[in-house]
Amino acid sequence: ASFPQLLFQNRRMFKMKLDKSLAFQVVNTIKDTCGQDINFIDKQGMIFASTNADRIGTFHTIGHKAAQTEQTIEVFSDDDFPGTQKGINMPLYYHGSFLAVIGITGEPDQVRQYVHLADRITHLLIREKELNRLSRSLEDKKHFVIDALIRNEIADPDYLDTCLSDLQVNPGTKKRLLIIQSPDGHNNSSSLEQKIIGLFGTLGITLYTFYYPNEYLAVLENSGKAALYQILADFTADCGALLSIAVGKKCQLFQLSLSYQSALTALKYCRSSENGIAFFDDMTLEILLSSISEQEKNAYLQKTISALSDEERNLLQTYFEANMSLLGTSQKLFLHKNTVQYKLNHIYQKCGLNPRVFKDAVLLYLALQL
């Protein structure tokens, strides 16, 4: 269903009425245009909004008659009706429902156009309010669906199905959970928010929500990874912000909690990845390392590389990236091969693990990954 169709389907949910705030907005707008006093009168004939504060809460005879007869009444003389000034009193309706009677004081031939202008403005303001309420309703539905699925807490399956239908989400196709975290200080940036929503539009995402203070969750249809990565990389480059973007594994919609958990695992490694983007599908060793507690991590580091300097850790990192090749390491660091060997031996002496021995090298490599 399109947005207008959803509006029509959900209009029964919104019992629109002309509240005082909106009524005062209309009367003041028309007053500025025509310079005449304007009243909004309810079904019982009571004035509830007016440019003349003294008339609010008083009974309006002709306004009451116009409301009861559902007819526009024009008064051409102040003497036509007791206590009534000349002017026009016209009932206002919205989709067949009575809203109020609007009365404008003045010569009918002069103020008639302003009555119709008030009618137009009232309709526009109510429609805007109705659209805003529907938009908020859709946002609430999106949040409900994602929250229920990632927590695996579906207390009302029938309502969930209704929401999925309203949001045009196909439960039969596999999905991925996408997480975008903005850096501290950017969580209230409206420009960044618009860019993120624009990204969702590019990816064809309709089911997304925001978690305070800086996290967006979106449900991706299973798509090609290479194309998705390129879109995300271009997006982060365009934003210029240090975003963290994690993509969970694919699964059925009603198993979205599994994709969410895998996305959280990937999120831990976003900062160390290129462009701050991490796919759970690309992770291997990181899956195991993510389950280690801080206490266990610190204990392991104490037993392995805690005594090493930053320079020595960088040497080890380069050495492993060069597949434990002395020549490759020396070329990358612009050091003599013998110098590299000397430094590796010094590391062995300091931490008791020999980088040239495979078993010890594995332990050192794991420490660097932690």
Side-chain angles (χ1 to χ4, degrees):
S2 65
F3 191 82
Q5 287 173 325
L6 285 174
L7 176 61
F8 178 79
Q9 293 167 5
N10 288 276
R11 182 163 283 136
R12 56 188 172 78
M13 297 170 56
F14 306 131
K15 190 176 180 180
M16 297 304 300
K17 64 178 182 178
L18 187 62
D19 58 38
K20 290 184 179 180
S21 175
L22 191 146
F24 273 105
Q25 191 175 352
V26 175
V27 297
N28 289 326
T29 300
I30 302 301
K31 171 78 173 183
D32 291 340
T33 303
C34 69
Q36 301 291 340
D37 279 325
I38 302 149
N39 305 309
F40 267 112
I41 306 148
D42 64 20
K43 194 78 172 178
Q44 288 70 45
M46 302 302 294
I47 298 175
F48 64 91
S50 176
T51 52
N52 183 350
D54 292 337
R55 300 204 65 184
I56 297 174
T58 63
F59 183 75
H60 195 290
T61 305
I62 300 303
H64 182 247
K65 184 175 181 179
Q68 297 302 313
T69 62
E70 300 184 353
Q71 298 291 323
T72 298
I73 300 176
E74 297 186 354
V75 181
F76 289 88
S77 172
D78 291 342
D79 299 326
D80 285 354
F81 299 93
T84 301
Q85 296 176 311
K86 56 187 174 183
I88 297 179
N89 297 274
M90 184 178 78
L92 301 182
Y93 298 87
Y94 189 71
H95 295 296
S97 297
F98 175 84
L99 292 175
V101 170
I102 184 164
I104 298 185
T105 303
E107 295 291 343
D109 291 339
Q110 296 177 5
V111 301
R112 191 175 293 115
Q113 59 181 320
Y114 299 115
V115 173
H116 294 291
L117 178 61
D119 184 33
R120 284 286 190 89
I121 292 176
T122 303
H123 275 72
L124 288 173
L125 290 175
I126 291 179
R127 179 169 173 77
E128 180 183 28
K129 187 173 183 179
E130 192 176 48
L131 289 171
N132 287 338
R133 290 180 64 177
L134 176 58
S135 177
R136 287 196 297 272
S137 174
L138 290 175
E139 294 303 315
D140 290 343
K141 288 181 179 179
K142 290 178 182 180
H143 190 86
F144 166 77
V145 169
I146 292 180
D147 199 61
L149 292 174
I150 66 173
R151 298 179 187 278
N152 199 24
E153 297 176 356
I154 306 175
D156 191 344
D158 291 337
Y159 180 64
L160 180 61
D161 289 341
T162 298
C163 290
L164 292 174
S165 177
D166 289 347
L167 298 169
Q168 295 183 283
V169 176
N170 182 358
T173 57
K174 290 191 174 182
K175 320 288 185 186
R176 293 180 185 272
L177 203 290
L178 170 70
I179 300 176
I180 299 180
Q181 278 190 352
S182 62
D184 293 339
H186 288 75
N187 49 301
N188 292 321
S189 170
S190 59
S191 61
L192 179 59
E193 178 184 4
Q194 289 306 308
K195 287 183 178 180
I196 292 174
I197 293 175
L199 169 68
F200 294 158
T202 300
L203 294 173
I205 295 172
T206 58
L207 186 53
Y208 61 86
T209 192
F210 175 73
Y211 280 83
Y212 183 84
N214 65 337
E215 189 170 89
Y216 292 83
L217 270 62
V219 178
L220 271 167
E221 291 289 338
N222 185 31
S223 56
K225 181 193 156 192
L228 175 59
Y229 181 85
Q230 189 57 54
I231 292 173
L232 294 177
D234 292 342
F235 170 71
T236 56
D238 178 62
C239 282
L242 298 176
L243 298 174
S244 295
I245 302 179
V247 181
K249 65 181 181 180
K250 63 181 178 181
C251 63
Q252 296 295 332
L253 179 66
F254 293 102
Q255 295 177 318
L256 197 67
S257 60
L258 301 178
S259 187
Y260 175 61
Q261 292 301 321
S262 63
L264 290 179
T265 298
L267 193 64
K268 296 179 182 179
Y269 295 93
C270 285
R271 286 286 174 253
S272 60
S273 66
E274 184 180 0
N275 300 323
I277 302 169
F279 282 70
F280 180 80
D281 290 353
D282 293 336
M283 299 173 65
T284 51
L285 179 62
E286 295 87 354
I287 298 174
L288 294 177
L289 298 181
S290 66
S291 63
I292 299 175
S293 68
E294 281 298 312
Q295 184 177 2
E296 292 168 332
K297 170 185 171 181
N298 293 332
Y300 186 85
L301 295 177
Q302 284 294 324
K303 290 177 175 290
T304 52
I305 62 173
S306 62
L308 301 182
S309 66
D310 289 342
E311 181 183 355
E312 289 167 331
R313 295 182 187 188
N314 182 59
L315 173 67
L316 278 179
Q317 187 67 46
T318 305
Y319 175 64
F320 292 134
E321 289 174 357
N323 292 318
M324 300 175 64
S325 166
L326 291 177
L327 179 60
T329 305
S330 64
Q331 290 175 342
K332 285 188 174 184
L333 296 177
F334 303 102
L335 296 172
H336 192 276
K337 180 179 177 181
N338 291 340
T339 303
V340 172
Q341 188 168 351
Y342 169 79
K343 288 180 176 290
L344 291 175
N345 288 335
H346 188 63
I347 288 173
Y348 177 26
Q349 293 171 5
K350 288 182 70 173
C351 68
L353 296 171
N354 189 349
R356 308 285 308 276
V357 176
F358 178 74
K359 181 180 178 180
D360 288 356
V362 170
L363 297 176
L364 291 168
Y365 178 79
L366 289 174
L368 290 176
Q369 298 310 302
L370 286 172

